[in-house]
Amino acid sequence: MGFLRRFIVFASILTLTACGEKFVYNNLDWFVVDYVDSFVDLERPQKEILTERIQLMAEWHKENELPTYIEHFDDLLSLKPNDFTVTLLTKQEARFREHSQRLIQQAAPDLYALSKQLSNEQVEELLENLKEQHEEFADEYIDIEEQERVELYQSRISKNMERWLGDISDEQERMIVNWSESIEDTRQDWVSYHSKFRDELSQLLANRNNDSLFQSQFQQMLYEPEALFSQEFELKRSENRQIARVHLSKLFQSMDEKQYRHLQDELRKWRTIAVDLAAN
């Protein structure tokens, strides 16, 4: 589901920034600091530095990223149903990935500096809260029956498709069922990855005062998180991405005129949000 997931994340960023017109853009520092506080209790000087850096990043995002998003929306608006081939979806997925990579690259120096400023108590708190979050994931998903897992995927995919296409036909719903049944089960793989990620993060932060070790480990965890995936997990993820592209292609190509208009209206709405934010 790479293309659709990245598209939804992309739109979600704009959703947040669109709430109350300029509200989130003008208060982005508060939202991010509050999110970080849910994992680790920052000291006042740390919060002040983080707030200042977020405000600068918001200006960068407004000046540099929003015009890129608008251009991307224009390209998406030009697409006809039959244009949604597997090849096109693969290219679009890569394009959305580029958007997120630019954000990561812009934030990396500040994340690096903040990580080095954490106390031992803060590191312990961060790791414990991360473990709790991962355990909640395992508790919620690891023991559900296979049929329930498939139905969960089906519900999520249907909801996402209805968001962009409107009402789904019976034939399209059957496509979604087939898609859901084809998805490789990666629940246990994610649990194993979460455990390995915490171990690597603990080792990384233990070396935060050793610049040569910390910098290389930090960059790998930030830019190459897939390096922690097992070979089996990566194969499943690759297979699931290809399955998603094939089924998304069929779904988009099956759009009737009403669904195509709905998709166009949604894209225009998000484009207008981006234009308004860039202008303010």
Side-chain angles (χ1 to χ4, degrees), residues 235-279:
L235 287 172
K236 288 181 181 179
R237 292 178 73 249
S238 178
E239 179 67 18
N240 284 342
R241 286 195 297 269
Q242 184 60 19
I243 289 170
R245 295 177 192 122
V246 170
H247 287 280
L248 273 173
S249 176
K250 292 178 180 178
L251 283 163
F252 280 125
Q253 290 186 357
S254 71
M255 287 186 291
D256 59 27
E257 290 186 9
K258 183 178 179 181
Q259 290 173 328
Y260 180 65
R261 287 197 303 271
H262 185 99
L263 175 62
Q264 292 275 298
D265 288 343
E266 285 294 304
L267 291 170
R268 289 192 189 96
K269 179 179 72 175
W270 294 117
R271 184 188 186 282
T272 299
I273 289 172
V275 169
D276 290 346
L277 287 169

Side-chain angles (χ1 to χ4, degrees), residues 3-218:
F3 170 82
L4 191 59
R5 183 177 64 252
R6 291 179 187 280
F7 190 91
I8 290 168
V9 169
F10 177 46
S12 296
I13 293 172
L14 291 176
T15 303
L16 287 173
T17 55
C19 293
E21 297 178 350
K22 296 188 293 180
F23 178 72
V24 176
Y25 243 54
N26 291 336
N27 297 277
L28 188 61
D29 54 334
W30 183 88
F31 281 91
V32 176
V33 170
D34 185 65
Y35 176 77
V36 173
D37 261 342
S38 68
F39 286 94
V40 57
D41 186 17
L42 296 178
E43 297 176 358
R44 184 172 180 176
Q46 292 172 319
K47 289 184 179 181
E48 290 175 348
I49 293 172
L50 181 59
T51 296
E52 178 183 349
R53 299 308 303 174
I54 293 167
Q55 290 171 345
L56 291 172
M57 185 171 178
E59 285 300 315
W60 165 84
H61 185 268
K62 177 180 174 180
E63 294 176 6
N64 296 277
E65 291 301 290
L66 289 179
T68 303
Y69 296 171
I70 294 167
E71 180 182 348
H72 196 168
F73 278 122
D74 286 336
D75 291 343
L76 292 171
L77 281 162
S78 71
L79 298 174
K80 303 299 182 184
N82 287 337
D83 292 330
F84 286 90
T85 62
V86 170
T87 299
L88 178 129
L89 293 175
T90 303
K91 291 179 179 178
Q92 289 295 326
E93 185 179 337
R95 194 168 176 182
F96 286 119
R97 188 182 300 111
E98 290 171 1
H99 295 325
S100 61
Q101 283 298 110
R102 289 194 303 274
L103 289 174
I104 292 172
Q105 290 171 0
Q106 186 69 18
D110 298 318
L111 289 173
Y112 180 87
L114 179 62
S115 299
K116 290 181 67 65
Q117 293 170 6
L118 295 177
S119 67
N120 290 337
E121 291 76 13
Q122 287 174 319
V123 168
E124 184 177 346
E125 179 188 10
L126 171 62
L127 293 171
E128 185 60 33
N129 285 330
L130 193 60
K131 181 180 179 182
E132 182 179 334
Q133 184 188 74
H134 290 163
E135 287 175 346
E136 289 175 359
F137 169 86
D139 290 343
E140 184 172 0
Y141 296 111
I142 201 67
D143 291 327
I144 63 175
E145 298 294 332
E146 175 64 15
Q147 184 58 36
E148 185 179 356
R149 179 186 73 88
V150 171
E151 290 173 355
L152 180 62
Y153 284 137
Q154 181 183 346
S155 175
R156 288 177 177 175
I157 296 170
S158 294
K159 183 177 180 180
N160 287 331
M161 295 308 302
E162 286 170 359
R163 176 180 181 181
W164 298 105
L165 303 187
D167 293 335
I168 300 297
S169 69
D170 292 342
E171 177 60 29
Q172 289 168 332
E173 193 61 50
R174 284 191 288 272
M175 293 180 189
I176 292 172
V177 170
N178 290 336
W179 179 359
S180 304
E181 293 174 343
S182 302
I183 297 173
E184 292 276 355
D185 185 357
T186 58
R187 289 172 296 170
Q188 189 58 58
D189 300 281
W190 278 112
V191 170
S192 299
Y193 166 74
H194 288 159
S195 178
K196 189 172 184 179
F197 176 84
R198 292 195 307 273
D199 289 343
E200 291 292 325
L201 182 60
S202 177
Q203 181 181 352
L204 168 71
L205 294 174
N207 292 325
R208 63 190 182 281
N209 295 321
N210 185 326
D211 288 342
S212 59
L213 277 176
F214 184 73
Q215 185 173 9
S216 60
Q217 292 175 339
F218 176 86

